[in-house]
Amino acid sequence: MSAKFFQIYARCVLHRPLLSLIALFAVTASMAVGLQHFKIDASADSLTLENDEDLNYYRELVGRYGSSNYLVITYTPREGDLFDDHNLQHLKALRDRLIAVKGVTGVLSLLDVPLLYSPKITVADFSGELRQLLSPNVDRQLAKTEFLTSPIYKDTLLSADGQTTGIMLDLELDETFLRLVKERDALRLKRDRDGLDDDQSTQLQRVSKEFLDHRTEQTAKSRQMIVEVRSITAEFRDRGTLYLGGPDMITADMVDYLKGDLILFGNGILLFIVATLAVIFRRLQWVVLPLVTCFTSLTIMLGWFSWIDWRLTVISSNFVSLLLIITLALTIHLIVRYRELSSRQTDASQLQLVSETVISMSKPCLYTVLTTAVAFISLVVSNIRPVIDFGWMMTLGIMVALAVTFTVIPAGMMLIGRRSDISFSDSVSITHVFARFTERHGGLVIAISLLIGVASGIGILRLEVENRFIDYFHSDTEIYRGMETIDTALGGTTPLDIVIQAPSQAATVVDRISAETEQTTNESASADGFDEYDDYGDDDYADDGGFDSNDDSESPPQSYWMSTAGLEDLSKLQAFLEAQPEIGKVSSLVQIYQVANDLSGHQLNDFELAFLRQSLSPEIYRQLVAPYLIEELDETRIQLRTKETSGDLQRSELLEKIRLYATDELAIADQDIRLGGLLVLYNNMLQSLYQSQIVTLGAVFVGIMAMFLVLFRSLTISLIAVIPNFLAAAVVLGGMGIMGIPLDMMTITIAAITVGIGVDHAIHYLTRFRREVAVDGDYIAAMYRSHASIGRALFYTASTIIVGFSILALSNFIPSIYFGLLTGLAMTAALLGSMTLLPKLILITQPFGPPGIHSAHDSKAF
């Protein structure tokens, strides 16, 4: 710390400690006022890649085909058969209550769909009103068979055992959200590519705020709707087993989990900090001052986030525990140094002790914070929005923590005054054991480190990114049970859309069909006009049951996908999809084609398909055609759901397999087919994890090496400083590979965090070692003295971090558990590396000069 800067600091903090604390707490109080606006964002929008084109395409599909948002209630009667009258009436009462919920635009259940085989109807009946399950005189056993075997309803409305059904609630399409997010993303893209002028920058700020405000309002409405739906289902649990599923429900529950975790971890870490400080220092002031420091830093940051509406996500929710632990580590370094000086300089005044503590620790703490900041800043290159936010939040947070620590701890020391009962022993310390082991078994330390490095490398090569979203939750949660029931009994959970444009050569087919249709509809509609299609049967063309055009004068142009050529291609693709073990229900135009062929007794030709299309009642068209066809664009969509519980699910391989089959086997042009939906977005995020891990670690290495070169002005020292920490990062990544734990959005941050926090140890240790070796030139003695002094602080802080992160094991969110335990493992490896491998490398390389040479310059270097 420069003399001029220290003079300013001393006047503000050391000479006016009470005033400096009052000023700091005033800032803290102003930030705390904003905590009432604190928000957590667990929406799907917060879990996507930055500038993902597939996300934009997904939103386009929502705009074209309607809302993809839904809730699903699974229902299994406790007694009797599902199709018994009392169970169906119970189900009907539940359905009627749910459809009245605000925000629900439609309900689909086995009570609402038309029956086509109970008994079997004719194709001509498509133009009229069809019977449903509760219609008079319906044979329910026939209906049950239809639900189990019909290509339309199979694996959708009824489980294979016939006892579990699903009620799907269609939710209102949020057109305002789509408009705002489209406008916001367009401005963001222009900003990143070309830059914005003042008006456009103002517009981006306005749209971004409007978007966040709207999403906040919609989130509140969605949560209220979930509460209402749950209250309704609770009333029906006396006679049935019900589970709720769907994106909005998962989002709402994840927010509750994260809020619960914040409260749990906050209280847990609070108790842990108190216990740790009491055990280490055994003095009340050394418990109170760190606590005040930690929670002042946290309040300032969370309050500021609330004021600017910067929301915590699933990933950045770990910000709280990390900031508390890093702040605590800084306070421990200052307190340990002060106690060391106080025990040795018995005649020094409190001002002298605190001043020397600040001077001696300012540079190491500053560089540790900067190197940690470099580690977190590296996360911004990951291209995953929540990871980017996490990186910036932690970077800003540790800067604030440094400023708060060097205000509260020194000012508090000045207010409390010096105590005469402080003792500090250089020899009686657990770190002495590490020093002795390193001296006597240094070769073994190197050998073990090499073996660990090789094993970690093997484990890293086995790392995977594929993971099951269902495994993010405990098996006793409603999210898990609902997803499992939907996945195994009702055709899968994660949706995938396959959108295909009509091939260019289809124009001649469409023109021919349209011409034939127009010519025929202009002629007499008598049965004689259909002699050409005698094999269809005269009865099917009778005036009282023939193909009736709903509006001949305004009939839409015939689509290629409602021709035999288009439907045959779709049939082949659907058969391929249904043969894949990881795919559940597949829905497309093929279902209505198969049913129409079955009902007519033969395969319909193009002309018959054209009349079938025009004869469909609006309700049948809405349910069986509209979700899969946009006639104006001549575009069709195949919807399928994958099974999260399937052990065979490899998302990237599945997507590539589907694309190759469509292009190679069916000769669909690359530009005519596109895959979209939540499965694609989730896969994009997973596949980016490898690249993100490599990029972030590379950025960490480059940034920290640059920092070390500036700090130590030696390539040798810089290299031996990073080796133990990158070995610790390799241990956690290799351990994940060996244990079969896949990378996810939370675990990819562990390596950067490990290196960022671990290099703190290296900086503090090397700084102290250089000072000690300059005393007498004895490397072995310098190692023992370093272990007894700064080594003790490192042991305390590392132990605090390890145990503190272990509290995350109590989370309801499995990735948080992995994050806590793996970070604890990584910090254990970093501590052992700092206590054994790092000093051994120093002893081998002797980077501070030959033994026995005393340098006054070296002794003052830090």
Side-chain angles (χ1 to χ4, degrees):
M1 183 178 290
S2 68
K4 183 176 181 180
F5 182 80
F6 178 75
Q7 290 175 0
I8 298 173
Y9 171 83
R11 283 199 300 269
C12 295
V13 178
L14 302 186
H15 295 294
R16 297 178 178 85
L18 182 60
L19 185 61
S20 64
L21 289 177
I22 291 174
L24 177 62
F25 294 150
V27 173
T28 305
S30 65
M31 292 295 103
V33 173
L35 289 175
Q36 59 184 318
H37 307 297
F38 177 72
K39 299 181 183 71
I40 295 177
D41 185 3
S43 65
D45 191 54
S46 70
L47 300 175
T48 56
L49 294 182
E50 189 79 343
N51 300 320
D52 188 354
E53 287 298 324
D54 285 315
L55 177 59
N56 296 330
Y57 183 66
Y58 170 71
R59 290 169 177 157
E60 286 181 22
L61 289 181
V62 171
R64 291 212 293 265
Y65 288 94
S67 175
S68 62
N69 200 7
Y70 61 89
L71 293 174
V72 176
I73 294 94
T74 65
Y75 177 90
T76 307
R78 294 187 183 277
E79 296 180 0
D81 187 80
L82 174 63
F83 286 80
D84 291 345
D85 188 66
H86 63 280
N87 283 327
L88 289 182
Q89 290 302 320
H90 195 240
L91 183 63
K92 179 180 182 299
L94 173 62
R95 189 271 316 265
D96 292 344
R97 290 283 303 280
L98 291 171
I99 200 172
V101 174
K102 186 176 181 180
V104 175
T105 59
V107 174
L108 181 66
S109 72
L110 52 76
L111 305 177
D112 305 295
V113 296
L115 298 176
L116 309 179
Y117 290 87
S118 309
K120 188 174 182 180
I121 66 172
T122 66
V123 176
D125 293 326
F126 276 129
S127 61
E129 183 176 349
L130 300 178
R131 285 174 293 184
Q132 297 174 335
L133 185 58
L134 293 182
S135 298
N137 302 320
V138 169
D139 187 328
R140 291 181 182 173
Q141 286 306 310
L142 276 179
K144 182 176 183 179
T145 301
E146 178 174 352
F147 288 126
L148 290 172
T149 60
S150 166
I152 298 175
Y153 304 138
K154 181 182 179 182
D155 296 329
T156 301
L157 297 173
L158 190 63
S159 62
D161 63 3
Q163 284 297 96
T164 299
T165 186
I167 302 176
M168 178 175 287
L169 309 181
D170 292 325
L171 304 183
E172 185 178 5
L173 175 63
D174 191 350
E175 295 181 353
T176 302
F177 173 89
L178 294 176
R179 174 181 61 81
L180 290 173
V181 78
K182 183 177 181 180
E183 187 176 355
R184 183 202 65 178
D185 289 352
L187 288 169
R188 282 182 173 180
L189 185 60
K190 181 173 175 57
R191 176 196 62 190
D192 297 339
R193 290 182 177 178
D194 308 319
L196 301 176
D197 57 32
D198 292 341
D199 290 340
Q200 291 170 331
S201 297
T202 302
Q203 183 184 4
L204 176 57
Q205 293 177 1
R206 177 187 59 78
V207 171
S208 297
K209 184 179 185 307
E210 189 177 349
F211 170 76
L212 285 176
D213 291 343
H214 175 75
R215 194 168 69 179
T216 300
E217 179 183 351
Q218 292 302 111
T219 299
K221 290 181 180 179
S222 175
R223 288 182 64 83
Q224 180 57 41
M225 179 182 61
I226 298 297
V227 170
E228 187 174 352
V229 169
R230 279 193 162 130
S231 68
I232 292 173
T233 57
E235 297 175 18
F236 287 81
R237 285 201 167 96
D238 58 330
R239 291 172 54 184
T241 301
L242 291 85
Y243 295 120
L244 176 64
D248 278 12
M249 170 264 188
I250 293 175
T251 297
D253 280 9
M254 285 180 64
V255 169
D256 290 339
Y257 290 162
L258 294 178
K259 287 182 177 178
D261 286 350
L262 289 176
I263 295 172
L264 174 66
F265 302 151
N267 293 330
I269 291 177
L270 170 63
L271 295 175
F272 168 70
I273 289 175
V274 170
T276 300
L277 295 173
V279 169
I280 293 174
F281 300 121
R282 301 178 183 179
R283 293 295 299 272
L284 180 62
Q285 68 262 34
W286 305 135
V287 175
V288 173
L289 287 178
L291 278 178
V292 172
T293 304
C294 289
F295 286 95
T296 299
S297 300
L298 184 62
T299 302
I300 290 175
M301 291 308 302
L302 292 183
W304 183 58
F305 293 160
S306 302
W307 278 118
I308 65 173
D309 201 12
W310 197 359
R311 308 178 185 193
L312 294 187
T313 64
V314 172
I315 309 305
S316 54
S317 63
N318 290 312
F319 168 86
V320 172
S321 53
L322 269 171
L323 184 62
L324 285 175
I325 289 172
I326 290 174
T327 307
L328 181 63
L330 289 171
T331 65
I332 289 177
H333 279 296
L334 285 180
I335 294 172
V336 168
R337 180 58 174 163
Y338 170 82
R339 284 164 55 85
E340 178 187 0
L341 292 172
S342 181
S343 67
R344 293 175 179 175
Q345 302 177 18
T346 57
D347 297 330
S349 67
Q350 181 73 340
L351 179 60
Q352 290 174 323
L353 291 175
V354 176
S355 297
E356 188 169 346
T357 298
V358 170
I359 291 172
S360 62
M361 296 305 299
S362 59
K363 192 171 184 179
C365 286
L366 175 62
Y367 273 94
T368 58
V369 164
L370 290 177
T371 51
T372 304
V374 168
F376 284 113
I377 287 177
S378 70
L379 297 176
V380 304
V381 301
S382 69
N383 200 36
I384 303 174
R385 170 48 55 186
V387 175
I388 294 172
D389 286 344
F390 181 51
W392 284 119
M393 286 177 173
M394 285 305 308
T395 300
L396 296 172
I398 59 178
M399 295 295 185
V400 170
L402 177 67
V404 171
T405 299
F406 274 80
T407 300
V408 174
I409 299 299
M413 290 175 176
M414 292 303 300
L415 288 176
I416 293 172
R418 181 170 182 176
R419 297 292 186 267
S420 60
D421 56 346
I422 294 177
S423 62
F424 193 94
S425 172
D426 284 354
S427 58
V428 183
S429 171
I430 189 172
T431 55
H432 185 80
V433 176
F434 291 114
R436 188 168 63 248
F437 184 84
T438 302
E439 179 189 9
R440 297 179 179 178
H441 307 287
L444 181 60
V445 169
I446 297 296
I448 292 175
S449 299
L450 289 173
L451 288 175
I452 291 175
V454 172
S456 298
I458 295 173
I460 289 173
L461 294 177
R462 298 172 59 182
L463 267 177
E464 296 183 352
V465 297
E466 285 292 348
N467 55 70
R468 305 190 313 171
F469 185 73
I470 192 173
D471 289 336
Y472 285 4
F473 309 96
H474 287 298
S475 59
D476 60 347
T477 60
E478 187 174 15
I479 291 181
Y480 187 98
R481 291 178 177 178
M483 290 182 67
E484 183 181 42
T485 302
I486 296 169
D487 204 63
T488 57
L490 299 175
T493 50
T494 309
L496 171 65
D497 294 331
I498 304 173
V499 180
I500 312 174
Q501 305 293 332
S504 56
Q505 64 267 28
T508 56
V509 177
V510 172
D511 290 343
R512 176 176 59 78
I513 299 170
S514 299
E516 291 178 354
T517 304
E518 181 179 358
Q519 176 184 356
T520 307
T521 54
N522 287 332
E523 296 175 355
S524 171
S526 66
D528 293 337
F530 303 100
D531 289 343
E532 181 180 357
Y533 305 102
D534 281 342
D535 59 334
Y536 201 175
D538 290 340
D539 290 342
D540 294 325
Y541 290 93
D543 289 340
D544 60 348
F547 287 123
D548 236 357
S549 174
N550 293 326
D551 187 350
D552 291 341
S553 63
E554 298 183 5
S555 59
Q558 181 67 26
S559 169
Y560 169 75
W561 300 112
M562 288 298 286
S563 70
T564 54
L567 287 167
E568 286 301 318
D569 283 344
L570 288 180
S571 297
K572 293 176 183 177
L573 180 54
Q574 178 153 330
F576 169 78
L577 296 172
E578 291 173 339
Q580 309 308 310
E582 60 268 49
I583 292 178
K585 179 63 178 178
V586 183
S587 302
S588 71
L589 291 173
V590 171
Q591 273 105 337
I592 193 171
Y593 180 52
Q594 292 173 337
V595 169
N597 289 339
D598 184 46
L599 295 178
S600 67
H602 73 285
Q603 184 169 325
L604 303 185
N605 58 36
D606 287 338
F607 179 69
E608 292 165 334
L609 285 170
F611 270 92
L612 171 64
R613 155 65 188 93
Q614 296 183 30
S615 300
L616 295 175
S617 67
E619 183 64 20
I620 294 293
Y621 186 86
R622 183 186 67 82
Q623 290 191 18
L624 302 183
V625 177
Y628 315 113
L629 179 66
I630 297 181
E631 294 178 279
E632 294 79 4
L633 302 177
D634 213 356
E635 173 185 280
T636 190
R637 175 173 69 160
I638 298 177
Q639 289 184 299
L640 62 88
R641 286 175 283 152
T642 56
K643 296 182 178 181
E644 280 286 324
T645 55
S646 171
D648 301 320
L649 181 58
Q650 298 287 326
R651 295 174 183 84
S652 185
E653 293 180 10
L654 176 63
L655 294 173
E656 185 63 20
K657 190 191 307 183
I658 292 172
R659 180 174 291 279
L660 286 177
Y661 181 83
T663 55
D664 294 351
E665 300 296 327
L666 302 181
I668 298 175
D670 281 333
Q671 66 271 18
D672 288 339
I673 183 171
R674 184 160 184 179
L675 279 60
L678 294 180
L679 182 73
V680 173
L681 299 180
Y682 189 56
N683 180 71
N684 288 352
M685 184 273 294
L686 290 178
Q687 297 307 316
S688 73
L689 295 180
Y690 270 129
Q691 180 181 358
S692 294
Q693 187 71 88
I694 294 171
V695 171
T696 54
L697 277 179
V700 167
F701 179 80
V702 172
I704 288 179
M705 277 296 297
M707 294 289 297
F708 279 165
L709 288 172
V710 171
L711 176 60
F712 296 115
R713 299 181 180 87
S714 167
L715 179 61
T716 301
I717 298 177
S718 300
L719 287 174
I720 66 174
V722 300
I723 287 174
N725 298 293
F726 276 90
L727 180 61
V731 165
V732 70
L733 292 176
M736 290 173 61
I738 292 172
M739 292 184 288
I741 301 173
L743 283 171
D744 58 36
M745 286 190 299
M746 297 186 75
T747 53
I748 65 163
T749 64
I750 294 176
I753 291 171
T754 300
V755 175
I757 298 177
V759 294
D760 297 359
H761 296 182
I763 291 174
H764 282 293
Y765 189 86
L766 285 164
T767 300
R768 187 55 181 258
F769 196 103
R770 186 169 188 171
R771 184 181 293 122
E772 294 295 341
V773 80
V775 173
D776 53 14
D778 188 336
Y779 274 82
I780 297 295
M783 179 184 68
Y784 276 95
R785 292 194 296 269
S786 297
H787 271 63
S789 54
I790 195 64
R792 184 180 301 184
L794 297 180
F795 181 81
Y796 291 158
T797 56
S799 300
T800 301
I801 292 172
I802 293 166
V803 179
F805 275 106
S806 298
I807 297 175
L808 292 171
L810 301 176
S811 173
N812 281 317
F813 193 51
I814 303 299
S816 291
I817 296 175
Y818 281 146
F819 180 83
L821 296 180
L822 290 172
T823 302
L825 170 64
M827 293 315 302
T828 300
L831 173 63
L832 294 176
S834 298
M835 293 289 98
T836 56
L837 179 58
L838 178 59
K840 182 57 183 177
L841 292 175
I842 295 174
L843 296 178
I844 291 174
T845 59
Q846 299 181 353
F848 303 117
I853 297 179
H854 171 77
S855 172
H857 173 75
D858 285 345
S859 67
K860 299 178 181 178
F862 293 93

